[in-house]
C-alpha cells in the first residue's frame, strides 16, 4: 500500500528489513547499541561485524534518539540505529519517545542527504508497544515529517508478518480517509 505526501512516497511492505535496497535501513536498537535480539540481531547478522565496531565507537544512544553507521555488508549504505521506549502503560512518555525515535531517524537521514529509508515497527517486539497504537504514532510522525521536509523521497515500513502488515494498512487507510 502506498500514499503520496508532497513529492515523497510512504509505503507499506511485508518482509525482512535486512533485504531492503533503500539507502538506509533503521534498526530498533537498545541504548547500549551493542546488539540484541529481534530486528537488531538480524541486522548485525546480515551486515557483519563492521556495524558493531562502529556502534562500540559511538558508545550508546538514549531512548528517543538516533545514531548512524555504515551498512557493512547490507545492500543499504547506512544503518540508522534508534531506540524506542519500553512500553509500560502508555503513561510514562512512551508515545512522545516513540515519535521522537522516528523523527530523530528522519532528521539524521536528512542531514546525510539520504533519499530512501526503510523502518521496522519500532518498539513492538521485545519492548511490548501495542501494535495499533505504535502504528498510529509511526505513520502520523512520518507523514508530518514528510509534509514539512523535502529531500527524503521514499519511506518504506517493512512489517514482519501478515498481522503487523494488516494493522499498519488499516491505520494508514483510516488516516487517508480522515485526510479527505
Ligand atoms: P523492540 O525492542 O524495539 O521492540 P524488536 O526487534 O523486538 O524491537 O521488534 C520490533 C519489530 O521488528 C517487531 O514488530 C518484530 O516483529 C519486527 N522484526 C523482527 N525481525 C525483523 C526483520 N528481520 N525485519 C523487519 N522487522 C522485524
Amino acid at each position: 500500500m502506498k500514499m503520496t505526501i508532497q513529492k515523497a512516497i510512504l509505503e507499506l511492505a511485508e518482509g525482512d528489513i535486512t533485504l531492503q535496497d533503500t539507502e538506509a535501513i533503521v534498526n530498533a536498537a537498545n541504548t547500549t547499541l551493542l546488539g540484541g535480539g529481534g530486528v537488531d540481531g538480524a541486522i548485525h547478522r546480515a551486515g557483519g561485524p563492521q556495524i558493531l565496531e562502529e556502534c562500540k565507537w559511538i558508545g550508546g544512544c538514549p531512548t528517543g534518539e538516533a545514531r548512524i553507521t555504515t551498512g557493512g555488508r547490507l545492500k543499504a549504505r547506512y544503518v540508522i540505529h534508534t531506540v524506542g521506549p519500553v512500553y509500560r502503560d502508555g503513561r510514562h512518555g512512551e508515545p512522545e519517545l516513540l515519535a521522537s525515535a522516528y523523527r530523530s531517524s528522519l532528521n539524521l537521514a536528512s542531514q546525510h542527504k539520504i533519499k530512501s529509508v526503510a523502518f521496522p515497527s519500532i518498539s513492538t517486539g521485545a519492548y511490548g508497544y501495542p501494535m495499533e497504537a505504535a502504528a498510529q504514532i509511526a505513520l502520523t510522525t512520518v507523514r508530518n515529517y514528510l509534509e514539512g521536509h523535502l529531500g527524503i523521497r521514499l519511506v518504506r515500513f517493512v512489517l514482519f508478518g501478515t498481522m503487523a502488515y494488516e494493522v499498519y494498512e488499516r491505520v494508514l487507510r483510516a488516516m487517508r480517509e480522515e485526510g479527505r
Side-chain angles (χ1 to χ4, degrees):
M1 180 175 178
K2 281 187 195 188
M3 182 171 166
T4 311
I5 298 154
Q6 306 281 37
K7 287 183 171 178
I9 293 169
L10 169 54
E11 74 178 12
L12 308 182
E14 189 188 331
D16 180 349
I17 200 161
T18 65
L19 304 176
Q20 303 303 307
D21 59 2
T22 45
E23 260 183 276
I25 66 171
V26 176
N27 181 16
N30 57 57
T31 55
T32 69
L33 295 187
L34 296 181
V39 74
D40 196 358
I43 288 172
H44 283 287
R45 266 196 308 279
Q50 168 76 28
I51 301 175
L52 189 58
E53 283 310 308
E54 292 178 49
C55 283
K56 282 181 187 160
W57 189 83
I58 293 167
C61 176
T63 305
E65 295 189 19
R67 301 290 184 266
I68 193 165
T69 65
T70 62
R73 295 196 295 254
L74 294 168
K75 275 191 215 161
R77 187 159 166 219
Y78 299 99
V79 176
I80 294 171
H81 305 262
T82 191
V83 185
V86 176
Y87 188 84
R88 288 161 71 188
D89 55 6
R91 297 174 182 189
H92 289 81
E94 298 96 326
E96 295 76 15
L97 287 166
L98 185 59
S100 174
Y102 282 99
R103 257 193 321 270
S104 304
S105 301
L106 292 165
N107 270 323
L108 259 186
S110 292
Q111 283 163 25
H112 288 262
K113 308 215 178 315
I114 291 165
K115 302 256 179 288
S116 56
V117 186
F119 278 100
S121 178
I122 298 166
S123 282
T124 58
Y127 282 4
Y129 213 114
M131 189 67 76
E132 178 145 3
Q136 192 81 49
I137 292 167
L139 292 167
T140 307
T141 305
V142 170
R143 183 196 54 193
N144 291 348
Y145 186 91
L146 293 175
E147 281 172 351
H149 301 77
L150 298 173
I152 299 176
R153 302 302 296 262
L154 170 68
V155 174
R156 178 185 297 151
F157 280 90
V158 181
L159 289 326
F160 205 57
T162 330
M163 197 215 80
Y165 181 84
E166 283 171 0
V167 172
Y168 271 71
E169 185 179 47
R170 182 151 32 85
V171 171
L172 186 59
R173 204 164 267 148
M175 270 169 53
R176 197 163 60 182
E177 276 154 24
E178 280 162 28
R180 274 209 286 265

